Amino acid sequence: MIQRMKKTEKQKNRERKTAEKRRAKLIWHRILELLYPTTCVFCGIVASEGICESCRKEVKILQEPLCKKCGKPVRYEEQEYCYDCQKIIHFYEQGRSLWLHKMPVSQSIYQFKYRNRRVFAQYYAEQMAEQFADLLRKWQIEVIIPVPIHKSKRRKRGYNQAEVLAKELSGRLEVPMEAFAVRRVQKTNALKEMNPSERRRALSGAFAVEDDWKPKKKVLLVDDIYTTGSTVDELARILKENGVQKVYFLTISVGQGF
């Protein structure tokens, strides 16, 4: 009997300590909220949900008609593919993006990518998980892989924005992320200044799959922007050469398709 009472007292002490830790954590979070309130990812004003009412009205999730391959907006309901996808045979299966790459989305991504606004990834990932839940179930993704950046760029920037986003998305989807399954072995010049064919030549051989990585059947690539698809295609190509069966992608924004 005495032994049981001692155990009960220990349990009470553990529960009391756990409750105290919870209270302390809650207080700390409230202090942080006061010092660093959540702001709108698009305009910067205080907004508890990550977006203000004004930007919610302005920034619209992409809706049909969309290219059936890359998800870019197209002009006509009967149009299956955008201008790029009509001309190019992609190595990936399909992809989707949240928003069109124009203001204020483009400015938000710039802040996320170059101004250390890593916290924006929480809102981006929340929207991805919500908007593409049905599609992701259909794709049956086994692992999430962020598009890698060259080590020199990572040192300079301090982080890979695609990895930050992929980590947030992984937690919401409960799908594992493997940040270092693929690495960027070649540094390239700014792709935005190249045309599609130049991009593909520049990216040829730019990525390598790690020798000890065990391939999964269905992989999701995550990045900030989809433009011509050159980066996603090169990654899809090398992943399939190493045993992956299907490659899909999600990005925050996408260029216009027509």
Side-chain angles (χ1 to χ4, degrees):
M1 180 67 71
I2 293 173
Q3 191 174 2
R4 285 184 184 175
M5 288 177 67
K6 284 182 179 178
K7 281 186 177 181
T8 303
E9 193 62 37
K10 284 181 180 178
Q11 281 181 327
K12 287 180 179 179
N13 286 334
R14 280 199 297 270
E15 289 172 0
R16 189 160 47 248
K17 287 179 181 178
T18 300
E20 287 172 358
K21 285 180 180 178
R22 284 200 195 111
R23 281 196 295 272
K25 191 174 182 180
L26 183 61
I27 291 169
W28 177 242
H29 279 306
R30 285 176 178 169
I31 291 171
L32 287 176
E33 285 174 2
L34 290 170
L35 293 174
Y36 307 101
T38 302
T39 58
C40 175
V41 301
F42 301 110
C43 70
I45 70 169
V46 175
S48 60
E49 295 181 359
I51 184 171
C52 68
E53 286 306 312
S54 177
C55 288
R56 195 189 300 276
K57 293 174 183 176
E58 181 181 356
V59 181
K60 299 296 184 182
I61 298 292
L62 287 171
Q63 301 291 335
E64 297 288 351
L66 301 172
C67 174
K68 296 185 183 303
K69 192 72 173 179
C70 72
K72 285 182 180 179
V74 293
R75 286 176 174 164
Y76 312 109
E77 289 285 349
E78 61 273 17
Q79 186 177 345
E80 292 191 355
Y81 301 106
C82 69
Y83 180 73
D84 286 340
C85 292
Q86 287 174 16
K87 300 185 301 176
I88 300 168
I89 298 175
H90 293 292
F91 287 95
Y92 65 81
E93 269 58 46
Q94 196 177 23
R96 287 293 179 268
S97 307
L98 286 169
W99 304 294
L100 194 62
H101 193 70
K102 63 178 185 178
M103 288 290 289
V105 173
S106 55
Q107 178 62 23
S108 176
I109 293 175
Y110 181 86
Q111 295 290 326
F112 171 55
K113 193 171 182 175
Y114 299 111
R115 294 291 180 263
N116 202 25
R117 298 298 288 160
R118 286 181 254 190
V119 69
F120 286 5
Q122 295 175 13
Y123 182 75
Y124 299 151
E126 178 186 295
Q127 290 301 301
M128 282 182 170
E130 180 180 325
Q131 298 298 327
F132 303 124
D134 292 340
L135 191 59
L136 289 164
R137 278 192 289 270
K138 179 183 174 182
W139 289 347
Q140 298 179 320
I141 301 301
E142 297 173 63
V143 66
I144 299 171
I145 297 177
V147 171
I149 59 176
H150 193 265
K151 60 184 179 181
S152 62
K153 189 176 290 186
R154 190 186 184 100
R155 279 197 302 268
K156 183 178 179 181
R157 193 178 300 168
Y159 61 99
N160 175 8
Q161 74 283 351
E163 184 181 331
V164 176
L165 177 60
K167 185 177 180 181
E168 289 288 341
L169 187 61
S170 170
R172 284 165 173 75
L173 299 178
E174 298 183 347
V175 175
M177 177 192 75
E178 296 183 359
F180 301 105
V182 183
R183 56 194 166 88
R184 191 156 191 157
V185 294
Q186 290 181 11
K187 188 177 180 181
T188 57
N189 294 326
L191 296 177
K192 62 184 178 181
E193 298 172 3
M194 302 180 188
N195 62 41
S197 60
E198 288 172 337
R199 289 182 183 217
R200 292 179 187 280
R201 284 196 299 271
L203 287 165
S204 179
F207 302 103
V209 175
E210 292 293 349
D211 293 336
D212 59 351
W213 184 66
K214 295 180 180 178
K216 310 299 187 297
K217 291 180 180 179
K218 297 175 182 179
V219 167
L220 178 69
L221 295 173
V222 169
D223 204 3
D224 51 351
I225 307 166
Y226 179 97
T227 49
T228 65
S230 303
T231 301
V232 174
D233 261 335
E234 180 61 17
L235 280 166
R237 183 188 68 78
I238 195 169
L239 284 167
K240 288 186 174 184
E241 282 184 357
N242 284 269
V244 173
Q245 292 182 9
K246 293 186 177 182
V247 179
Y248 302 88
F249 77 81
L250 287 182
T251 64
I252 304 166
S253 70
V254 67
Q256 182 67 58
F258 299 119

